[in-house]
Amino acid sequence: MAHKLIWKWKPTFMLPLTFNSQSKHVIRFHHHPFSSLKIHHPINYTTTAAAAANTSNNGDCVKAKEFLELTDEELVRQCEMDFLKSSGAGGQHRNKRESAVRLKHLPTGIIAQASEDRSQHMNRDSAVKRLRALIALKVRKTVDLDAYSPPRELLQILPPKSTVRGSEIGPQIGPKNQKFALGMQALLDLIFAVEGSISEAAKYIGLSTGALSRLILSDDSLRKEVNDLRASKGMKPLK
Amino acid sequence: MKLSLSSVYTPYSFPIILKSYAFSNLCKPFCSSALSSSPPISLKPQVPLFLRPPIYSTKFCDFKKWHDWAKGIASSIGSTFVNSDNGPDSSILCRELKWLMEDAVEDHSLFSKMGFENYDERVKMRVGIEELYDLWKERIEKRRPFQYVVGCEHWRDLVLSVQEGVLIPRPETELIVDFVCDVVSKNEDLKRGVWADLGTGSGALAIGIGGASGIGGRVIATDINPVSVAVAAYNVQRYCLQDKIEVREGSWFEPLKDIEGKLAGLVSNPPYIPSKEISGLQAEVGRHEPRVALDGGIDGMDYLFHLCDGAALFLKPGGYFAFETNGEQQCRALVDYMKNKRSESLCNFEIVADFAGIQRFVIGFHH
């Protein structure tokens, strides 16, 4: 039956839910969703990872950027899903409202979970949203700097004063917009390619160093990712 | 197997008032207010807390005092309930307390100010502060289910009204909606047909499949319990699905006689707990939820067998069914029963696990 394709069950994996009402509060009332997530090291997305990825309908390997272009359902199909449930008979026997959901994206190993909502279904949606943001942050593509031209999704998150951004790109997309993740991913690809140098990266996207810094600092997760990279290269963090 | 009202009601300790009301069987649920002289229970469904108007006002310090009191009680429970009947522990109770506050208080930004002592403001609430004390006492001392305390359960993307007398929908059952979405997405005939949810309770499954699956036809929800019928109808109206979902009062297939052999799909989460296990249930379930919605007879399979028999008769050729069970043993027994006794009409049986890995559902088709 096809519904088995929707998710992969992992029946034996059960974790007790540790609950901290204080930290949940934080997740719920701030827009930044990552405080409860396991963060992995950046995944350099090469052929090895591609080989492990599910193949799309036409048989091509799914590429890093394409993970984010999948529909929620397609993305979830690449995941192992655990519902963090207490053990026991379940069903009509139980009233415990354990509704946490954990997604493990098999091609990349990225894990996202959500437990703050009262319904399992809504937690699944939140977990997918977080997974998308984490993929954007953690999955890197190699950039050919000699032939570099900023992709559209990156241009969309740049401020209008960027000299490479035409007016046809439309209004600037901010961190609260779901499409920001795609642009953020492309920006991180570029910053990784120039080994963390903000002034170098700024040249490729027609911004001053200050303007790019401000863009990076506008999103906590983006700032953290850039600063982690800079720290690994012995550079000072952006503040 | 034929079910009559008496066979369902008599063995159980279903509330006396309801029982007599059910037997009186005089009117449709929504007319009940016209009979105010009849038994002192109204079948006008209760409005969930979060939908009531915020007409109460309390000083912040009094609200905080209540919160600290309630939290203290929740914390003092520790694992007492877990040890006695695998009930909720402190962390779950604290989470419920937070949800109770969300439903009771209009302005949620208040919660970030709980740490301040002299916050000089009034709190607008949907319930009086005295009642909040009573509600939390009932939750802890009587083990009244949290969902009855707030009058709703979050299920899939729905918020369903529930009250005493109506089974609280379980997260496991959410999966049946996914099964249905999946099967109708590939089969125009099933998509256009008439579906039924038997023993609908709060109406969860009917509303889930009626709203989410893109089913073009009708959904008929049945329940023998007039309180469930009233609550299900209320929930259907809340989601503006009254043109699509019809709630009928009666036992299992009895209200469906007009569509025998014409159903495209049939779903149900019938009572399936073996009678002898009822007394050992978690207090929230055993003491408060309607026994008619839990007790499935000696081995818990009375109604599941009845559903299989009915599926053979009421589904049209190519029709689909999905039933929830108590677990692997019941799933196997049910599939064996259908293979041996109903194979001339039912086929393609499959057992599907729930998210905790328990073999929970039996699905299949009519030839």
Side-chain angles (χ1 to χ4, degrees), chain B residues 181-220:
Chain B
C181 288
D182 193 42
V183 79
V184 300
S185 71
K186 292 175 307 205
N187 186 326
E188 245 340 279
D189 207 33
L190 292 183
K191 194 172 183 168
R192 282 195 305 266
V194 179
W195 284 68
D197 167 21
L198 302 192
T200 193
S202 63
L205 269 179
I207 296 169
I209 65 176
S213 63
I215 286 178
R218 275 187 308 152
V219 181
I220 299 170

Side-chain angles (χ1 to χ4, degrees), chain A residues 1-4 6-7 9-12 14 17-19 21-22 24-25 28-29 81-83 85-100 115-122 124, chain B residues 71 86-87 91-92 95 98-99 102-103 111-112 145-147 153-154 156-157 168 170-172 174-175 178 182 186 269-273 277 281-282 285 293-294 326 350 352 355-358 360 363:
Chain A
M1 287 294 295
H3 61 257
K4 284 194 169 164
I6 300 177
W7 312 317
W9 315 105
K10 194 182 177 196
T12 50
M14 296 178 200
L17 246 193
T18 49
F19 188 87
S21 60
Q22 211 51 42
K24 295 214 166 208
H25 209 78
R28 187 145 201 175
F29 291 100
M81 175 150 26
D82 297 324
F83 295 83
K85 276 279 290 184
S86 59
S87 56
Q92 288 167 9
H93 291 261
R94 308 287 299 137
N95 178 344
K96 262 204 176 171
R97 295 179 67 110
E98 296 288 18
S99 56
S115 57
E116 69 280 7
D117 201 274
R118 283 153 78 161
S119 121
Q120 200 147 64
H121 189 80
M122 303 298 271
R124 196 169 70 192
Chain B
K71 194 157 189 182
N86 205 7
S91 67
I92 288 174
R95 177 172 50 174
K98 185 175 142 265
W99 287 336
E102 285 174 9
D103 281 6
F111 304 140
S112 55
F146 173 75
Q147 296 87 341
E153 171 66 317
H154 291 230
R156 286 184 68 87
D157 50 350
I168 298 160
R170 305 293 200 263
E172 284 85 349
E174 294 185 6
L175 284 179
D178 292 308
D182 193 42
K186 292 175 307 205
N269 173 23
Y272 54 61
I273 298 180
E277 292 178 23
L281 287 172
Q282 181 188 345
V285 180
L294 300 168
N326 198 31
E350 198 177 339
V352 187
F355 44 70
I358 294 171
R360 177 71 64 194
I363 62 179

Side-chain angles (χ1 to χ4, degrees), chain A:
Chain A
M1 287 294 295
H3 61 257
K4 284 194 169 164
L5 295 174
I6 300 177
W7 312 317
K8 297 196 175 181
W9 315 105
K10 194 182 177 196
T12 50
F13 200 97
M14 296 178 200
L15 289 176
L17 246 193
T18 49
F19 188 87
N20 178 331
S21 60
Q22 211 51 42
S23 72
K24 295 214 166 208
H25 209 78
V26 171
I27 297 168
R28 187 145 201 175
F29 291 100
H30 295 257
H31 76 272
H32 191 268
F34 298 118
S35 38
S36 71
L37 294 173
K38 292 182 186 175
I39 300 296
H40 292 239
H41 292 295
I43 296 143
N44 209 332
Y45 198 79
T46 58
T47 41
T48 329
N54 290 2
T55 53
S56 61
N57 287 340
N58 58 17
D60 292 332
C61 281
V62 177
K63 302 267 173 9
K65 182 181 132 189
E66 288 162 0
F67 289 139
L68 297 180
E69 286 167 355
L70 298 173
T71 65
D72 282 358
E73 199 179 298
E74 287 166 336
L75 192 61
V76 170
R77 236 177 259 166
Q78 299 183 331
C79 292
E80 197 174 73
M81 175 150 26
D82 297 324
F83 295 83
L84 311 181
K85 276 279 290 184
S86 59
S87 56
Q92 288 167 9
H93 291 261
R94 308 287 299 137
N95 178 344
K96 262 204 176 171
R97 295 179 67 110
E98 296 288 18
S99 56
V101 174
R102 192 181 86 132
L103 290 175
K104 180 175 183 186
H105 187 235
L106 296 174
T108 58
I110 290 174
I111 292 170
Q113 70 180 50
S115 57
E116 69 280 7
D117 201 274
R118 283 153 78 161
S119 121
Q120 200 147 64
H121 189 80
M122 303 298 271
N123 279 331
R124 196 169 70 192
D125 284 356
S126 306
V128 172
K129 284 201 184 83
R130 282 169 201 181
L131 179 62
R132 283 185 184 282
L134 278 178
I135 287 173
L137 287 172
K138 298 297 175 190
V139 178
R140 291 282 67 80
K141 275 181 305 172
T142 316
V143 167
D144 178 6
L145 287 172
D146 293 331
Y148 187 76
S149 150
R152 185 181 168 85
E153 58 272 13
L154 172 52
L155 294 173
Q156 284 177 323
I157 70 165
L158 298 181
K161 62 181 159 192
S162 158
T163 55
V164 297
R165 187 187 202 278
S167 56
E168 77 284 357
I169 299 297
Q172 183 182 9
I173 285 174
K176 283 183 183 165
N177 189 317
Q178 252 197 319
K179 288 182 187 161
F180 189 79
L182 270 174
M184 183 166 76
Q185 187 180 41
L187 179 59
L188 282 167
D189 290 341
L190 174 63
I191 293 171
F192 272 71
V194 296
E195 304 197 321
S197 163
I198 303 307
S199 55
E200 274 298 300
K203 284 179 201 159
Y204 285 95
I205 51 177
L207 284 178
S208 66
T209 308
L212 178 56
S213 296
R214 281 193 291 281
L215 174 62
I216 292 166
L217 295 176
S218 72
D219 184 86
D220 288 345
S221 47
L222 176 59
R223 177 186 58 197
K224 183 178 181 307
E225 211 54 41
V226 171
N227 280 341
D228 285 353
L229 170 70
R230 288 172 64 88
S232 73
K233 307 271 179 197
M235 301 159 95
K236 276 190 282 185
L238 301 180
K239 277 180 187 162

Side-chain angles (χ1 to χ4, degrees), chain B residues 99-313:
Chain B
W99 287 336
L100 171 59
M101 284 164 44
E102 285 174 9
D103 281 6
V105 173
E106 190 188 28
D107 177 12
H108 291 184
S109 70
L110 179 84
F111 304 140
S112 55
K113 299 165 185 162
M114 291 308 284
F116 296 100
E117 284 298 328
N118 300 317
Y119 186 69
D120 187 25
E121 201 177 298
R122 294 195 75 84
V123 182
K124 276 190 169 175
M125 300 201 299
R126 304 174 196 283
V127 61
I129 189 82
E130 303 80 16
E131 203 186 332
L132 267 186
Y133 277 96
D134 292 344
L135 287 174
W136 196 244
K137 261 186 223 156
E138 285 174 355
R139 175 71 191 100
I140 304 289
E141 288 169 14
K142 299 198 175 143
R143 304 279 304 274
R144 188 181 181 209
F146 173 75
Q147 296 87 341
Y148 289 159
V149 169
V150 293
C152 73
E153 171 66 317
H154 291 230
W155 192 84
R156 286 184 68 87
D157 50 350
L158 308 167
V159 183
L160 298 165
S161 172
V162 292
Q163 66 187 60
E164 265 81 1
V166 178
L167 184 83
I168 298 160
R170 305 293 200 263
E172 284 85 349
T173 315
E174 294 185 6
L175 284 179
I176 292 182
V177 179
D178 292 308
F179 302 159
V180 172
C181 288
D182 193 42
V183 79
V184 300
S185 71
K186 292 175 307 205
N187 186 326
E188 245 340 279
D189 207 33
L190 292 183
K191 194 172 183 168
R192 282 195 305 266
V194 179
W195 284 68
D197 167 21
L198 302 192
T200 193
S202 63
L205 269 179
I207 296 169
I209 65 176
S213 63
I215 286 178
R218 275 187 308 152
V219 181
I220 299 170
T222 75
D223 206 296
I224 194 170
N225 172 359
V227 182
S228 288
V229 170
V231 169
Y234 175 82
N235 283 322
V236 167
Q237 278 185 339
R238 275 228 321 121
Y239 285 96
C240 299
L241 288 166
Q242 57 268 37
D243 292 341
K244 198 165 185 178
I245 301 174
E246 188 189 339
V247 187
R248 297 183 181 177
E249 186 176 332
S251 171
W252 304 114
F253 293 93
E254 270 175 25
L256 297 180
K257 290 202 169 120
D258 56 320
I259 41 173
E260 186 171 325
K262 295 176 191 162
L263 274 184
L266 177 61
V267 295
S268 183
N269 173 23
Y272 54 61
I273 298 180
S275 301
K276 64 177 186 313
E277 292 178 23
I278 297 284
S279 61
L281 287 172
Q282 181 188 345
E284 281 80 359
V285 180
R287 280 191 222 155
H288 296 272
E289 289 196 277
R291 186 161 179 162
V292 285
L294 300 168
D295 190 334
I298 293 171
D299 54 8
M301 303 230 17
D302 288 3
Y303 307 111
L304 284 164
F305 287 139
H306 183 59
L307 285 167
C308 290
D309 296 343
L313 275 178

